[in-house]
Amino acid sequence: MLNIPQLPLEDIVTKGVNWLTNHLSGLFNLMQHVGQTVMDGMTNALVAVPMPLMIAGITLIAILTTPKKYGFPLFTFVGLAIIANQNLWDDLMSTLTLVIMASIISLVIGIPLGIITAKSPKTAAVVKPILDFMQTMPGFVYLIPAVAFFGIGVVPGVFASIIFALPPMVRMTDLGIRQVPVSLVEAADSFGSTTWQKLIKLELPSARNTILAGANQTIMLALSMVVTASMIGAPGLGRGVLSAVQHANIGSGFVNGLGLVILAIIIDRFTQKLNSKPGEKAETKPWKRWTILATLVVMIGGGVVNAVTTKKETGQRVNLGYVEWDSEVASTNVLAESLKQHGYNVTMTPLDNAVLWQSVANGQVDASLSAWLPITHKTLYDKFKNDVNVLGSNLKGAKTGLVVPDYMNVNSIEDLTNQADKTITGIEPGAGEMASAKKTLSSYTNLNGWQLQGSSSGAMAIALDKAYKAKKDIVVTGWSPHWMFSKYHLKYLADPKGTMGRGESINTFTRKGLKKENPKLEKVLDKFHWSKDDMESVMLAIQNGKSPKEAANNWLKSHQKLADSWYQ
Amino acid sequence: MAKVEIKHLTKIFGKRPKAALKMVKQNKSKNEIVEKTGSTVGVYDINMSIEEGEIFVIMGLSGSGKSTLIRLLNRLIEPTDGQLFIDGQEITKFNKKQMLDIRRKKMSMVFQNFGLFPHRTLLENTEYGLEIQGVDKAERRKRAEKALDNAKLLSFKDQYPSQLSGGMQQRVGLARALTNDPDILLMDEAFSALDPLVRGEMQEELLDLQANVRKTIIFITHDLNEALHIGDHIAIMKDGQLQQVGTGEEILTNPANEYVETFIGGVDRTKVLTAESIMIPALTTNIAVDGPTVALRKMSDEEVSGLVAVDRNRKLLGYLSSDSAVSARRERKSLTEVIAEMPTVSLDTLIADIMPIIYDSQTPVAVIDSNNRVKGVIIRGAVIEALADTEGDDENA
């Protein structure tokens, strides 16, 4: 083997992104702020339009633009009605905002860039490899700088979507313009067209269909990034899908996914309608145009009326961040419902664990209840301890460790030899527990040759369920409180070296400035605590089919006293 | 002064024009030059002048550089070397803006595949030239409609090009070019994509147009028949170089080199060659002086069976056959009484037009000038010989 030292590629990229984050923070903050405001406004406007009015309006437009065919209007109506029926309307509008924003920006950047690459071989030589790179790089990768630059929320979601969705726009514009027949370009030149006249009067109209096909692809790609972007807090249907994946909830995953499919088909058909050959284009009759316009006006009017007559939401805003673990879903919902009862305007943002810590550290999320300390989230705590306030435990007696069904006759990690295909079934790779498990693998000599299989907390639960029913060996990274201890007979493996943590507590942590800005809220958060039994009862209720909100409210009702104590 | 004057115009495509230029001067072939230098000679050292109001045809086979040459004229292709004068102005020195002006006002182009914009209606296509000049809408509509009306296409003005036949599309192309009212029309194989019938019609229309408006038309074709039919002057190109410039007649009767000779071999001569080029000297008898005996003596000396009867001034009187001369001698009649009528053609009558005459006639055909003077005769053998040269070329007709 040649002895070539490893290139510090990771370091270089990290330093580069850090440099950008530090030096352009003003710009990024401004973009985040403006973007967030615009998109919140847009979502609010869309949501303000009464749902029945919007469904009727879009269906009417579908009817008017699809002469003599009823399939598409029918699909539009039924599809939107299903989404509304499943209570996904607000999510749909958030998704729509993200898609519209990402698509518009992709068009605004992509079309001119495509024109430039078509006209200048030198630019094309530089831009095309970058496009290849952008398109092949997994979409997840863009989430990391997106969070570094813009934090969490819809703006980084749009950022990541644009990078992912831009290439086809540039490519197709470039292609469309290059494909304009030479004889037409010569004809335009021979009559003395300037470059601009040629572009506007010949090249863009000729390339129109190709460009629209590119726009269609761009929109579809932006839509496909919605799910990925939800990992960093972009609201919408993606969140439902992601949560369903993390809890291995097939039904919810399907319903949210179906919402995306319906949206995608509707957008796709509408954009394809713009695409037609000259001469074949059936002229839209004026009355149809006027009706479409009138429909839009009525829809907007309905939105305005609705917005004016609806009481403005009052109360202080609180943004609670959490990770889609069953335990945190329970605690965060309980606190959120309780805070709502006390007049707070609560937003719950599901995030990846590492992103959550970063978001609290940079102040985008007010608080989270999910710090497992001192072991499980040690690495994150060490990284961010100067930028967050850890208020202390909200639940004691939490525990993490390797868990097996109690029909397996191992009792200690040291007893493990070749059970369960030498595999530990883990959860999300970013979770603190996974770091502990990794450490455990290297600390115990008998675990030589064992591997840690990352997945999600939901997938882990399913794997456990399957193995349990078949009475097969399985070793999982487990934690309590967790409903699985109520459902199955399980046991923790003894951990003589203590690498998986010994008795932990779940802690509340807040952003640095919260204490000063809102001492009252800080106090509530500080006082929030409950027991392992409380949490498990909520978790089990959710596991048995109650919605998290409902389960939280039920618990609050029967534990009024404890809940009240948080506000004293 | 010539309308267009071309001096040493040269275009070399590719990276090493100097090396290529050197090889052209050594008379190397195009293929050899491409192989050695990677450069293609588009056109090389073209010199010619085009008069105002004439149809100047540039012809040659594919790859001869004729399309490059026409694009050099309006600088859609930038020349490598040489000068180009239009109305005495050296437009090769013009800047971009001046060039735009030339293209907008002075020259318009018609393309082989029509070059119509598919996303625009016929009217919008026709007014394009005026539109980009910023002419206001009412005015340009009016002029475009007039041009379409002249092309008998006004009722189709709101159709799209794809809804029209090739011939109609090309009429739109021509109308679009004419809407600008240019001095010079550049036509790049304008009729080559049309079927032969429509093509013939378009040629006639172009000639009609030329008779009315007197534009200077530079017409490119690879079809010699088309060139001979419409061209006042014809330039023949090969491998980017000019072989010969002249009238159709000059090129046919006096090809400058072997290439031109081979090139014109393919033409339908019956539509090009005139009586003058196939007539033979007439054997005459001045019947005011000669009697039957003299006439018969002449016939036996020349081994023919008839003579052209003329008067003192060599004006045509008729045809004297040996039979008539014999009967005149027997019956003692004067020759004037026995001569038969003789079909006549003028010097510039096309062979194609002579054929039916000679087919019906018992006698040779006399070729006469405008004063009825006999210049020669055409016998069947000469026509057959002329036809033999055009064997197998009927599809070019």
Side-chain angles (χ1 to χ4, degrees):
Chain A
M1 283 284 282
L2 284 171
N3 198 6
I4 298 169
Q6 189 183 7
L7 294 171
L9 264 184
E10 284 187 19
D11 253 19
I12 292 168
V13 175
T14 309
K15 279 182 184 145
V17 171
N18 285 343
W19 189 89
L20 283 177
T21 315
N22 294 333
H23 285 80
L24 297 178
S25 67
L27 177 68
F28 290 139
N29 285 341
L30 182 74
M31 282 164 79
Q32 152 80 17
H33 188 74
V34 172
Q36 187 82 43
T37 313
V38 169
M39 280 181 274
D40 281 351
M42 204 159 138
T43 309
N44 290 339
L46 285 170
V47 171
V49 180
M51 188 168 66
L53 186 64
M54 198 172 211
I55 296 179
I58 294 174
T59 308
L60 185 61
I61 293 173
I63 292 172
L64 291 173
T65 50
T66 326
K68 289 174 194 159
K69 279 185 194 153
Y70 299 102
F72 175 57
L74 193 68
F75 175 87
T76 306
F77 179 77
V78 173
L80 292 177
I82 288 174
I83 293 176
N85 173 268
Q86 295 296 311
N87 267 330
L88 296 175
W89 191 257
D90 290 3
D91 284 341
L92 180 73
M93 292 303 120
S94 300
T95 305
L96 195 57
T97 305
L98 193 148
V99 171
I100 291 174
M101 211 62 195
S103 307
I104 289 177
I105 297 175
S106 294
L107 293 183
V108 168
I109 299 172
I111 294 179
L113 198 57
I115 293 170
I116 294 167
T117 57
K119 298 271 174 189
S120 148
K122 277 183 190 162
T123 318
V126 177
V127 170
K128 294 235 165 121
I130 298 178
L131 293 181
D132 291 333
F133 181 89
M134 281 163 74
Q135 222 171 2
T136 332
M137 184 66 90
F140 287 99
V141 175
Y142 302 129
L143 300 182
I144 309 165
V147 171
F149 294 156
F150 303 109
I152 55 161
V154 69
V155 175
V158 167
F159 171 81
S161 302
I162 290 169
I163 294 181
F164 196 62
L166 185 62
M169 195 66 255
V170 181
R171 265 185 230 287
M172 297 292 265
T173 307
D174 174 88
L175 182 72
I177 289 181
R178 277 173 201 274
Q179 271 180 347
V180 177
V182 181
S183 66
L184 297 188
V185 177
E186 278 190 334
D189 281 334
S190 75
F191 285 102
S193 315
T194 60
T195 310
W196 273 110
Q197 285 173 330
K198 201 163 57 171
L199 184 68
I200 286 162
K201 291 177 192 289
L202 170 66
E203 287 164 331
L204 287 180
S206 294
R208 178 171 173 269
N209 284 355
T210 318
I211 293 175
L212 281 172
N216 183 286
Q217 273 191 36
T218 290
I219 295 171
M220 291 301 127
L221 282 181
L223 198 55
S224 75
M225 271 300 278
V226 165
V227 176
T228 316
S230 69
M231 292 178 74
I232 48 173
L237 294 167
R239 249 186 213 183
V241 174
L242 190 66
S243 158
V245 169
Q246 280 163 335
H247 296 126
N249 190 337
I250 296 170
S252 149
F254 179 79
V255 170
N256 283 281
L258 183 69
L260 282 171
V261 170
I262 292 169
L263 178 64
I265 293 178
I266 294 176
I267 293 179
D268 181 58
R269 293 301 132 84
F270 270 119
T271 49
Q272 277 183 11
K273 283 189 193 311
L274 299 172
N275 209 339
S276 66
K277 284 185 187 153
E280 286 178 7
K281 181 169 53 185
E283 285 289 315
T284 316
K285 287 181 186 126
W287 71 268
K288 280 191 178 174
R289 284 192 191 169
W290 286 112
T291 318
I292 291 172
L293 202 65
T295 312
L296 290 174
V297 169
V298 168
M299 278 161 64
I300 293 165
V304 172
V305 169
N306 199 12
V308 172
T309 50
T310 314
K311 240 190 343 187
K312 282 250 169 67
E313 277 189 69
T314 51
Q316 272 169 316
R317 291 176 150 270
V318 188
N319 190 355
L320 295 180
Y322 68 107
V323 188
E324 289 271 6
W325 296 317
D326 296 308
S327 52
E328 311 320 324
V329 171
S331 58
T332 311
N333 270 283
V334 166
L335 178 63
E337 290 307 309
S338 166
L339 283 172
K340 279 182 197 165
Q341 286 171 10
H342 286 80
Y344 287 90
N345 179 3
V346 186
T347 314
M348 289 171 54
T349 312
L351 293 166
D352 177 77
N353 197 31
V355 175
L356 171 68
W357 279 82
Q358 196 179 1
S359 307
V360 177
N362 67 25
Q364 282 196 298
V365 166
D366 293 315
S368 176
L369 306 175
S370 61
W372 291 56
L373 293 173
I375 304 290
T376 311
H377 295 160
K378 183 177 189 309
T379 36
L380 289 167
Y381 175 75
D382 287 344
K383 190 169 173 190
F384 293 108
K385 63 184 169 196
N386 294 327
D387 303 318
V388 303
N389 275 335
V390 177
L391 301 181
S393 72
N394 58 55
L395 188 143
K396 289 200 171 98
K399 186 169 162 63
T400 60
L402 297 186
V403 172
V404 298
D406 76 352
Y407 54 75
M408 279 174 70
N409 61 8
V410 283
N411 290 310
S412 163
I413 297 176
E414 286 180 323
D415 297 342
L416 292 172
T417 49
N418 57 355
Q419 297 86 345
D421 299 331
K422 290 194 170 187
T423 298
I424 294 170
T425 305
I427 54 172
E428 291 84 355
E433 206 177 358
M434 294 294 276
S436 306
K438 232 180 245 166
K439 203 166 141 202
T440 305
L441 280 184
S442 56
S443 304
Y444 288 85
T445 46
N446 58 315
L447 294 184
N448 229 339
W450 280 62
Q451 56 157 335
L452 179 63
Q453 175 71 54
S455 63
S456 75
S457 24
M460 182 271 282
I462 294 210
L464 177 64
D465 184 72
K466 219 171 139 192
Y468 194 87
K469 280 177 182 155
K471 290 248 176 238
K472 279 192 176 155
D473 289 354
I474 185 163
V475 183
V476 301
T477 56
W479 65 96
S480 34
H482 195 291
W483 53 266
M484 65 183 182
F485 289 98
S486 324
K487 195 166 176 182
Y488 313 111
H489 295 289
L490 305 171
K491 63 187 175 190
Y492 279 103
L493 294 179
D495 178 16
K497 294 194 178 171
T499 46
M500 287 302 289
R502 326 166 181 259
E504 289 199 301
S505 61
I506 309 179
N507 293 267
T508 306
F509 60 111
T510 64
R511 65 181 168 91
K512 267 272 153 111
L514 189 67
K515 193 170 184 178
K516 221 176 183 180
E517 288 164 32
N518 197 340
K520 214 169 130 198
L521 176 64
E522 169 96 357
K523 214 169 156 194
V524 177
L525 292 168
D526 193 14
K527 282 199 171 171
F528 173 77
H529 71 280
W530 58 345
S531 73
K532 200 169 131 185
D533 290 343
D534 292 325
M535 190 189 244
E536 279 182 347
S537 75
V538 175
M539 286 163 86
L540 199 61
I542 297 171
Q543 182 60 26
N544 288 337
K546 288 253 183 334
S547 81
K549 199 172 156 181
E550 208 179 343
N553 277 316
N554 286 346
W555 183 89
L556 281 171
K557 234 177 261 168
S558 52
H559 296 76
Q560 196 65 51
K561 230 174 152 185
L562 177 58
D564 285 344
S565 76
W566 304 334
Y567 296 89
Q568 278 154 15
Chain B
M1 186 178 59
K3 184 80 183 166
V4 180
E5 185 83 45
I6 299 167
K7 286 184 180 161
H8 308 293
L9 204 60
T10 297
K11 174 69 190 181
I12 313 259
F13 297 102
K15 284 183 178 159
R16 294 170 56 202
K18 274 186 189 158
L21 213 55
K22 211 169 144 192
M23 290 184 73
V24 194
K25 281 179 187 161
Q26 293 163 2
N27 248 332
K28 300 278 199 273
S29 82
K30 238 179 167 175
N31 282 341
E32 211 177 327
I33 297 173
V34 174
E35 269 169 37
K36 289 255 170 69
T37 65
S39 295
T40 315
V41 180
V43 299
Y44 174 68
D45 197 27
I46 302 286
N47 292 286
M48 57 172 132
S49 68
I50 297 165
E51 296 304 320
E52 177 143 22
E54 73 167 334
I55 301 184
F56 190 96
V57 179
I58 299 167
M59 60 171 320
L61 301 174
S62 298
S64 59
K66 54 191 193 302
S67 288
T68 304
L69 179 57
I70 204 170
R71 281 163 179 74
L72 286 169
L73 297 185
N74 62 357
R75 285 178 61 193
L76 286 183
I77 295 174
E78 285 297 323
T80 311
D81 196 19
Q83 295 156 297
L84 176 64
F85 298 88
I86 289 175
D87 292 331
Q89 290 177 297
E90 186 178 355
I91 69 156
T92 24
K93 287 220 173 101
F94 275 18
N95 63 25
K96 216 172 160 181
K97 201 167 157 281
Q98 288 171 303
M99 212 47 229
L100 275 189
D101 218 46
I102 288 275
R103 290 179 188 165
R104 287 175 176 188
K105 305 270 165 68
K106 277 230 164 117
M107 301 174 129
S108 285
M109 196 155 171
V110 181
F111 295 85
Q112 178 174 13
N113 293 312
F114 322 135
L116 296 181
F117 300 156
H119 58 279
R120 289 174 155 244
T121 62
L122 299 198
L123 188 65
E124 286 163 352
N125 264 292
T126 312
E127 69 182 3
Y128 182 80
L130 297 175
E131 184 182 328
I132 57 173
Q133 292 177 34
V135 175
D136 75 43
K137 198 163 178 171
E139 165 76 12
R140 67 181 197 235
R141 280 273 132 108
K142 208 176 83 194
R143 284 169 65 181
E145 281 179 358
K146 191 164 161 258
L148 281 176
D149 197 26
N150 288 341
K152 300 178 200 77
L153 283 170
L154 190 56
S155 48
F156 295 91
K157 68 182 166 113
D158 293 324
Q159 305 281 89
Y160 287 88
S162 59
Q163 295 164 311
L164 269 66
S165 71
M168 288 158 107
Q169 290 191 48
Q170 194 54 292
R171 295 222 295 271
V172 178
L174 197 54
R176 177 176 67 177
L178 290 170
T179 307
N180 283 9
D181 197 23
D183 296 356
I184 302 171
L185 264 184
L186 305 174
M187 304 185 73
D188 180 21
E189 299 206 30
F191 303 151
S192 300
L194 305 174
D195 69 61
L197 256 165
V198 178
R199 189 166 169 187
E201 281 171 24
M202 292 292 291
Q203 289 168 0
E204 296 308 319
E205 274 177 41
L206 187 71
L207 290 173
D208 281 352
L209 179 87
Q210 176 66 354
N212 292 330
V213 295
R214 296 308 268 179
K215 306 274 180 205
T216 305
I217 298 176
I218 299 167
F219 194 101
I220 289 213
T221 182
H222 57 248
D223 178 356
L224 185 55
N225 287 324
E226 189 167 68
L228 292 167
H229 184 47
I230 63 171
D232 294 318
H233 281 97
I234 298 171
I236 294 181
M237 291 182 70
K238 181 205 170 199
D239 285 355
Q241 301 188 49
L242 204 56
Q243 303 294 311
Q244 187 174 5
V245 186
T247 62
E249 189 74 21
E250 280 165 13
I251 283 171
L252 284 181
T253 51
N254 191 14
N257 57 31
E258 219 170 293
Y259 177 77
V260 177
E261 212 167 315
T262 340
F263 187 82
I264 60 176
V267 74
D268 180 354
R269 289 168 176 234
T270 63
K271 292 192 176 165
V272 178
L273 293 186
T274 56
E276 188 177 26
S277 55
I278 58 163
M279 66 184 185
I280 52 171
L283 295 169
T284 54
T285 168
N286 182 350
I287 53 174
V289 180
D290 295 346
T293 316
V294 176
L296 282 168
R297 176 72 181 265
K298 254 191 189 169
M299 285 180 210
S300 80
D301 283 350
E302 298 288 346
E303 300 176 349
V304 293
S305 62
L307 293 171
V308 177
V310 295
D311 67 7
R312 259 181 232 283
N313 298 321
R314 283 189 71 76
K315 287 196 177 168
L316 178 71
L317 294 174
Y319 184 74
L320 176 70
S321 68
S322 52
D323 291 347
S324 343
V326 169
S327 66
R329 188 163 63 176
R330 200 185 300 133
E331 292 163 30
R332 298 187 182 273
K333 286 181 181 170
S334 78
L335 285 179
T336 329
E337 293 173 72
V338 294
I339 53 171
E341 265 202 45
M342 190 180 190
T344 59
V345 295
S346 60
L347 281 166
D348 58 355
T349 306
L350 295 175
I351 294 180
D353 300 325
I354 295 170
M355 283 197 294
I357 300 171
I358 210 157
Y359 182 81
D360 288 331
S361 166
Q362 301 298 315
T363 66
V365 176
V367 180
I368 52 171
D369 68 10
S370 50
N371 293 324
N372 206 23
R373 260 189 241 185
V374 174
K375 290 292 180 185
V377 291
I378 296 170
I379 57 170
R380 286 182 192 207
V383 175
I384 289 163
E385 197 187 310
L387 279 179
D389 284 343
T390 71
E391 204 179 355
D393 290 327
D394 284 352
E395 64 266 32
N396 285 345

